[in-house]
Amino acid sequence: MKNSIKVERAKKNWTQEDLAGKIGISRQSINSIETGRFIPSTVLALKMAKVFGTDVETIFQLEKTD
Amino acid sequence: MEPIKKQADRKTLIYSVLWAFVYMGCLIVLKKAELSKSAGILLSFVPTVFFVLFIYHYIRSISTMDEVERRIQLEATVWGFSLGLLLLMTLGLLDLVVVLKKEDWSFINLIPMFFLFYVIGIFISRRKYNGA
């Protein structure tokens, strides 16, 4: 699964720390998700979409291997 | 959210230190002092109370972690448990063919290894998820 968290953060001019604070997780966890090392739960993905003001599919996309 | 997490982490740290001190105290007393058998048995169970308190606060602190941190703790525990089990199984089999020195392989000496295995697990899973 790929994601566009970095792009969405750049649009808002947010650091990983800013995003982490808004959804209540650690900066390291944001980094793990952003780099694809951890796939978040539906709840966390929805929280992320909410703070970015977009839908989940915009942030997370399935790849052919998924 | 953050103060609750910090409070839970602080309590876990306090109770882990408290348990470690009580355990070490009991260990020293049992080794050095000449106690009656019943007093010795009673003293052996004293750290259990503090260990239960520590585990209670540790589990509470896990509930304040986010999902990535919980995964790291879960995988570290799996590593710790698996390596501990492997050690005991191997020692059990070795014990059938060679005489293991009690002063090297007693329960007292094995305990730190279980903590070491957990720390190894934390190191591996942190590297996996945080890349640190």
Side-chain angles (χ1 to χ4, degrees):
Chain A
M1 184 180 275
K2 59 182 178 178
N3 70 73
S4 59
I5 298 169
K6 199 172 182 178
V7 175
E8 295 298 325
R9 274 199 307 108
K11 281 183 196 169
K12 300 267 185 190
N13 203 22
W14 288 347
T15 61
Q16 287 186 341
E17 192 82 54
D18 295 333
L19 178 58
K22 286 176 196 300
I23 57 172
I25 66 172
S26 68
R27 190 202 61 76
Q28 288 90 341
S29 297
I30 289 290
N31 187 50
S32 304
I33 297 166
E34 195 172 291
T35 52
R37 283 192 285 259
F38 182 83
I39 307 296
S41 66
T42 314
V43 175
L44 197 53
L46 285 167
K47 275 186 185 176
M48 225 176 255
K50 193 176 177 183
V51 295
F52 281 132
T54 185
D55 47 31
V56 175
E57 290 87 347
T58 308
I59 306 172
F60 298 98
Q61 303 92 31
L62 286 172
E63 290 179 292
K64 283 181 182 175
T65 50
D66 288 324
Chain B
M1 186 76 182
E2 198 58 25
I4 295 169
K5 180 174 166 39
K6 279 185 181 171
Q7 197 179 19
D9 289 347
R10 196 173 58 244
K11 277 187 178 175
T12 306
L13 183 68
I14 290 167
Y15 280 97
S16 67
V17 171
L18 190 63
W19 164 67
F21 271 111
V22 171
Y23 176 78
M24 292 308 291
C26 289
L27 185 66
I28 291 165
V29 171
L30 287 168
K31 273 187 173 178
K32 306 279 181 191
E34 287 186 14
L35 300 171
S36 66
K37 196 173 181 180
S38 54
I41 290 169
L42 200 65
L43 194 62
S44 302
F45 285 96
V46 170
T48 308
V49 177
F50 295 89
F51 187 72
V52 168
L53 285 169
F54 159 56
I55 291 297
Y56 170 75
H57 287 285
Y58 178 51
I59 290 170
R60 279 186 65 126
S61 84
I62 287 176
S63 71
T64 66
M65 292 175 181
D66 64 46
E67 54 194 73
V68 182
E69 291 165 337
R70 280 185 203 167
R71 178 74 69 86
I72 289 170
Q73 288 297 326
L74 173 71
E75 289 193 13
T77 309
V78 170
W79 274 105
F81 177 77
S82 307
L83 291 173
L85 196 62
L86 179 67
L87 175 72
L88 290 181
M89 283 192 308
T90 309
L91 287 176
L93 291 174
L94 277 173
D95 204 29
L96 296 174
V97 286
V98 292
V99 179
L100 298 170
K101 287 181 184 174
K102 195 175 179 288
E103 58 268 26
D104 294 333
W105 298 104
S106 68
F107 289 127
I108 290 291
N109 293 340
L110 292 182
I111 290 165
M113 289 189 194
F114 284 81
F115 286 98
L116 178 69
F117 294 153
Y118 170 75
V119 171
I120 289 170
I122 282 283
F123 178 76
I124 293 168
S125 50
R126 275 206 202 286
R127 272 187 72 89
K128 182 178 170 186
Y129 292 108
N130 293 341

